[in-house]
C-alpha cells in the first residue's frame, strides 16, 4: 500500500511585510522629529509639534509601506494611521481637561468644602463650600429625571410599537426639533409661565426646563434601542397568546434595558451641566434650601459660573473644585448605569 503525501508549496503568496514594531518605532521617531522641528523653529505650543508629528507619522507610514509592501497595503496602513491620529486628537483634549480640572480642583476639595455652604462668605474670601449646590443639583436633576425619563420612554414605545400615520410623524418631527433647541429657550418658556402667574424663582421651575431638554434625548436613544430588538422575539410571544402590552413589558423592554438605561444616563449627564435655565428660573442661593418648591436654590453649574465670575483666586479655586465634583457626579451616574444595565440585561448561555 502506498501513501500519497501532498508537497508543500515552494512559493508563498504573501509578499514582504514590515515588522510588528514598525508603527511604534515610526510613532516614536515622528514625535522626536516633531519636537526637534518645533524647537528649531521656535514654536512654543505643544499643539504645533503634535500636529507636525502626526503629519510625519502618516506620510512616513505611506512612504515606507509603499516601498516595502506595495501601494495597496500602504493604503490600508495609512487608513489605520488616520484612525489612530483622529483617536488621539479626540483623547488629548479630554485628558487635558480632566488633568487640569483635577490639578486645580484638589486645592480646596475636602470634607469641609463638601459639607458647608457659602453662607455669609464673600466671593473674595477663602472658605465656604458647595453643600447647598450639591443639594440643589441632586433635587433639580432628580425631579427632571422623574418627569422626563418616563415620558421619553413611553413616547419611544409608542413610536416603535404603536405609532402609525400622521400622529406618529408629527411626534417624530417635534422630537427632532426639540433635540436641537438651545437650553435658554426651554428656560424662557418656563419663565414666561412663571411671569404670568407672578411666581418667584424656585428649584422645581429649573427641573421643568431640564425635563424639557431631557425628553427628546431619552426618546431618540430609547427608540433606537427598541428597534434593535429582533421582531422574532415579539412574534414568538404574540404566538403564545400574550397580549402586546405584556410582550412589551416582559420581552421588549428587558431585552433593551441596557441601552435604554445608558440613554437615560446620557440625558442626565447633559442636563446636569446646564446653567442658563437654572440662572433664569432658580436664581441661586448661597444658603441651604432643601425645598425645591419654594424659594431660590443653588446648583453646581450655577455655582461654578458665579464663582468664576468672582474674579479672585479664592473664587477660582472653588469653581475648579466644584467642576471636579460635577465631573465625579456624572462619572458615578454612568458607572451606576452600566452596573444596572449589566444586572438587568437578559442572561445569555447555552
Amino acid at each position: 500500500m502506498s501513501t500519497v503525501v501532498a508537497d508543500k508549496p515552494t512559493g508563498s503568496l504573501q509578499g514582504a511585510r514590515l515588522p510588528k514594531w514598525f508603527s511604534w518605532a515610526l510613532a516614536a521617531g515622528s514625535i522626536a522629529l516633531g519636537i526637534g522641528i518645533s524647537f528649531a523653529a521656535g514654536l512654543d505650543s505643544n499643539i504645533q509639534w503634535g500636529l507636525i508629528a502626526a503629519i510625519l507619522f502618516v506620510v512616513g507610514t505611506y512612504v515606507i509601506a509603499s516601498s516595502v509592501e506595495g501601494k495597496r497595503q500602504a493604503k490600508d496602513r495609512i487608513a489605520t494611521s488616520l484612525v489612530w491620529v483622529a483617536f488621539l486628537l479626540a483623547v488629548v483634549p479630554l485628558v487635558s481637561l480632566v488633568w487640569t480640572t483635577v490639578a486645580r480642583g484638589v486645592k480646596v476639595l475636602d470634607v469641609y468644602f463638601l459639607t458647608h455652604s457659602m453662607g455669609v462668605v464673600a466671593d473674595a474670601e477663602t472658605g465656604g463650600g458647595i453643600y447647598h449646590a450639591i443639594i440643589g443639583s441632586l433635587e433639580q436633576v432628580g425631579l427632571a429625571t422623574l418627569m422626563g425619563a418616563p415620558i421619553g420612554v413611553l413616547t419611544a414605545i409608542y413610536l416603535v410599537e404603536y405609532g402609525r400615520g400622521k400622529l406618529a410623524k408629527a411626534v417624530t418631527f417635534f422630537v427632532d426639533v426639540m433635540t436641537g433647541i438651545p437650553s435658554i429657550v426651554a428656560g424662557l418658556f418656563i419663565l414666561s409661565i412663571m411671569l404670568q402667574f407672578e411666581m418667584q424663582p424656585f428649584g422645581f421651575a429649573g427641573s421643568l426646563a431640564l425635563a424639557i431638554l431631557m425628553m427628546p434625548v431619552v426618546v431618540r436613544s430609547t427608540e433606537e434601542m427598541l428597534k434593535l430588538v429582533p421582531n422574532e422575539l415579539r412574534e414568538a410571544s404574540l404566538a403564545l397568546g400574550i397580549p402586546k402590552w405584556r410582550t412589551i413589558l416582559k420581552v421588549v423592554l428587558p431585552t433593551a434595558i441596557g441601552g435604554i438605561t445608558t440613554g437615560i444616563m446620557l440625558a442626565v449627564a447633559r442636563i446636569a451641566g446646564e446653567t442658563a435655565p437654572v440662572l433664569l428660573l432658580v436664581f441661586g442661593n448661597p444658603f441651604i434650601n432643601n425645598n425645591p418648591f419654594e424659594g431660590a436654590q443653588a446648583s453646581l453649574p450655577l455655582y461654578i459660573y458665579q464663582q468664576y465670575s468672582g474674579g479672585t483666586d479664592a473664587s477660582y479655586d472653588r469653581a475648579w473644585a466644584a467642576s471636579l465634583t460635577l465631573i465625579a457626579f456624572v462619572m458615578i451616574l454612568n458607572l451606576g448605569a452600566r452596573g444596572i444595565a449589566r444586572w438587568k440585561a437578559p442572561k445569555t448561555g447555552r
Side-chain angles (χ1 to χ4, degrees), residues 222-263:
T222 304
E223 187 178 3
E224 294 302 322
M225 291 301 104
L226 294 178
K227 289 179 179 178
L228 294 177
V229 178
N231 285 327
E232 288 78 6
L233 295 178
R234 298 180 177 89
E235 294 171 356
S237 177
L238 295 173
L240 295 174
I242 306 299
K244 188 170 184 177
W245 68 268
R246 193 170 181 84
T247 298
I248 296 172
L249 187 63
K250 295 294 185 179
V251 177
V252 177
L253 289 180
T255 304
I257 189 63
I260 294 174
T261 306
T262 303

Side-chain angles (χ1 to χ4, degrees), residues 7-23:
D7 295 333
K8 294 183 179 180
T10 57
S12 177
L13 296 177
Q14 185 174 357
R17 298 279 296 178
L18 290 169
K20 294 182 178 180
W21 48 263
F22 163 73
S23 298

Side-chain angles (χ1 to χ4, degrees), residues 18 22-23 26-27 29-30 33 52-68 74 77-78 81:
L18 290 169
F22 163 73
S23 298
L26 182 60
S30 300
L33 190 57
I52 294 173
I55 294 173
L56 292 174
F57 176 71
V58 174
V59 174
T61 298
Y62 180 77
V63 172
I64 298 175
S66 60
S67 61
V68 176
R77 285 188 175 272
I78 198 172
S81 302

Side-chain angles (χ1 to χ4, degrees), residues 11-342:
S12 177
L13 296 177
Q14 185 174 357
R17 298 279 296 178
L18 290 169
K20 294 182 178 180
W21 48 263
F22 163 73
S23 298
W24 296 102
L26 182 60
S30 300
I31 293 174
L33 190 57
I35 294 174
I37 293 174
S38 299
F39 181 77
L43 303 178
D44 298 329
S45 175
N46 293 331
I47 298 177
Q48 293 172 329
W49 72 257
L51 292 176
I52 294 173
I55 294 173
L56 292 174
F57 176 71
V58 174
V59 174
T61 298
Y62 180 77
V63 172
I64 298 175
S66 60
S67 61
V68 176
E69 299 178 337
K71 291 186 177 181
R72 183 173 183 178
Q73 188 64 24
K75 292 179 181 179
D76 178 74
R77 285 188 175 272
I78 198 172
T80 305
S81 302
L82 290 174
V83 170
W84 276 103
V85 170
F87 167 74
L88 292 176
L89 289 176
V91 169
V92 168
L94 176 62
V95 173
S96 177
L97 171 65
V98 174
W99 175 260
T100 303
T101 306
V102 172
R104 302 192 63 173
V106 295
K107 293 181 180 180
V108 297
L109 185 60
D110 52 18
V111 177
Y112 179 89
F113 183 75
L114 295 174
T115 56
H116 288 74
S117 64
M118 288 301 294
V120 295
V121 179
D123 292 341
E125 299 175 352
T126 58
I130 58 171
Y131 180 75
H132 61 304
I134 293 176
I135 294 297
S137 286
L138 290 177
E139 291 180 349
Q140 294 161 26
V141 173
L143 290 172
T145 305
L146 289 177
M147 293 182 291
I151 295 175
V153 172
L154 292 175
T155 303
I157 292 175
Y158 165 75
L159 292 175
V160 175
E161 304 294 338
Y162 297 98
R164 300 292 185 274
K166 295 182 179 181
L167 179 59
K169 293 180 180 179
V171 172
T172 302
F173 173 76
F174 283 112
V175 168
D176 292 337
V177 172
M178 290 179 62
T179 303
I181 64 171
S183 59
I184 190 69
V185 176
L188 288 173
F189 172 70
I190 301 299
L191 180 61
S192 64
I193 298 176
M194 292 174 59
L195 293 177
Q196 289 181 358
F197 292 94
E198 298 182 355
M199 302 172 66
Q200 298 297 320
F202 62 109
F204 185 68
S207 299
L208 292 174
L210 296 179
I212 293 174
L213 298 173
M214 182 181 187
M215 283 187 288
V217 180
V218 176
V219 172
R220 271 286 160 258
S221 59
T222 304
E223 187 178 3
E224 294 302 322
M225 291 301 104
L226 294 178
K227 289 179 179 178
L228 294 177
V229 178
N231 285 327
E232 288 78 6
L233 295 178
R234 298 180 177 89
E235 294 171 356
S237 177
L238 295 173
L240 295 174
I242 306 299
K244 188 170 184 177
W245 68 268
R246 193 170 181 84
T247 298
I248 296 172
L249 187 63
K250 295 294 185 179
V251 177
V252 177
L253 289 180
T255 304
I257 189 63
I260 294 174
T261 306
T262 303
I264 293 175
M265 289 301 104
L266 289 175
V268 171
R270 185 211 167 179
I271 65 173
E274 291 292 346
T275 307
V278 179
L279 180 62
L280 289 174
L281 307 172
V282 181
F283 205 67
N285 189 350
F287 297 95
I288 299 173
N289 179 13
N290 294 322
N291 186 3
F293 299 98
E294 183 178 359
Q297 201 175 34
S299 73
L300 281 174
L302 181 58
Y303 178 89
I304 295 169
Y305 169 75
Q306 292 174 337
Q307 291 300 313
Y308 201 82
S309 300
T312 63
D313 292 338
S315 63
Y316 287 157
D317 292 339
R318 287 191 293 265
W320 282 107
S323 301
L324 180 58
T325 305
L326 184 59
I327 291 176
F329 172 67
V330 175
M331 185 180 299
I332 291 172
L333 284 178
N334 280 275
L335 291 176
R338 290 180 180 273
I340 294 173
R342 186 180 295 273

